[in-house]
Amino acid sequence: MERKQLAVAQVALAALLWGADSIVPFPALARIPAQTLIFYEHLLGLLFLIPFVLRPSRRELGRLRWRHVFPLFLVGIAGETFAGFFFGRSYASVGGVSAAFLQMLQPFFVLGLVSMLGREKANSSYLSWAMSIFLGSMVVWIFDPSFDVQIFEEPRFWRGSGWGVLAVFLWAASNVSGKLLLEEFSASSLLFLRWTLSLFGLGAGIRMSGSFPGWEIFSDINFVLQGLAHLVFFALLPLWIFYLGLKQLPASLATFIELVCPLALIFLPWILGSRRLHEAQWLGGLFVIIGIFLIVRLELDFLPKQKKERE
């Protein structure tokens, strides 16, 4: 059980790091277009991973077969390149708080996918607390000072929500596929495979757009240092930690814990004094945190029983 508790802490830490990404200033990176920055980050990340992951994992990576192609596509291309593009469009259309609410729908997509695949089973109490998380998320969204009910009348909001839901579904599919792959590969190997495929996907997208970036930016030492810091602490490290936790936990449970990320996106700026929050948002956030905690307790108690039933 201690291993499961460590996995819960690993997923929560990864989600907190992803959420904290938006509040840590990187002025040298802010001058670069987002698509170009992500491409450079994946290029640097791959160069960083090769000596630490490729050589130790050569034998494990040699076990790749055709049956792994589609799950790897969902993890590296759909769940990274496509989902990031769609979520960026959604964020620009609906705003940060609405985008964070859409992220909170991800566990429900995961639950649907793993149920269809017959991979996991949830009890009724689990689903009850999942609904409390959804209602708490709605309270956090609707009572935000920036929320205006008139946005529902704007076509731009519905288009942006559509892009956001699509991105969240692809992230959910990526988590489920990642869990399947982690049954055969280590967290480090999956991180390397995801990063490699994402780099090729990003490069192909930039190439087709006709705006392939130049390399002169690497002469800026501030860009290189800040880029490496952002890469290690807010990209590679949290993803690796997340996969370590996902390897030990059901995909649905890990994705519920991952809701720490959108909560951090909303509440960390308040701690730093850069945004206002309504009192009801704290109540909604508390419902979400209590729901996650109880689902973790229920799931960890449920796992041994579920294992016995399968035996």
Side-chain angles (χ1 to χ4, degrees), residues 159-267:
R159 284 196 302 271
S161 296
W163 289 119
V165 169
L166 181 55
V168 170
F169 174 77
L170 292 176
W171 279 328
S174 173
N175 279 2
V176 174
S177 300
K179 176 63 179 178
L180 294 173
L181 290 165
L182 286 168
E183 294 176 359
E184 300 185 58
F185 300 97
S186 67
S188 300
S189 296
L190 184 56
L191 172 64
F192 177 80
L193 290 168
R194 174 172 177 160
W195 216 257
T196 303
L197 290 170
S198 301
L199 176 63
F200 282 106
L202 289 165
I206 292 176
R207 190 69 178 178
M208 286 188 291
S209 69
S211 58
F212 203 81
W215 307 108
E216 60 277 358
I217 188 66
F218 285 99
S219 62
D220 184 348
I221 189 63
N222 289 326
F223 170 81
V224 174
L225 293 177
Q226 291 182 27
L228 286 173
H230 182 270
L231 168 70
V232 172
F233 294 107
F234 297 107
L236 291 178
L237 179 62
L239 187 56
W240 178 62
I241 294 173
F242 175 77
Y243 280 151
L244 287 174
L246 181 61
K247 192 174 180 68
Q248 302 296 328
L249 299 174
S252 55
L253 178 59
T255 312
F256 272 111
I257 301 168
E258 201 180 349
L259 293 182
V260 170
C261 174
L263 282 178
L265 285 170
I266 294 171
F267 288 96

Side-chain angles (χ1 to χ4, degrees), residues 125-137:
S125 299
Y126 184 109
L127 296 175
S128 298
W129 284 110
M131 289 309 300
S132 78
I133 289 175
F134 177 73
L135 294 175
S137 303

Side-chain angles (χ1 to χ4, degrees), residues 17-43:
L17 287 171
W18 281 324
D21 182 15
S22 63
I23 64 170
V24 179
F26 290 98
L29 306 186
R31 303 193 301 265
I32 311 299
Q35 188 179 25
T36 302
L37 177 62
I38 295 171
F39 173 77
Y40 282 145
E41 188 172 74
H42 278 73
L43 178 62

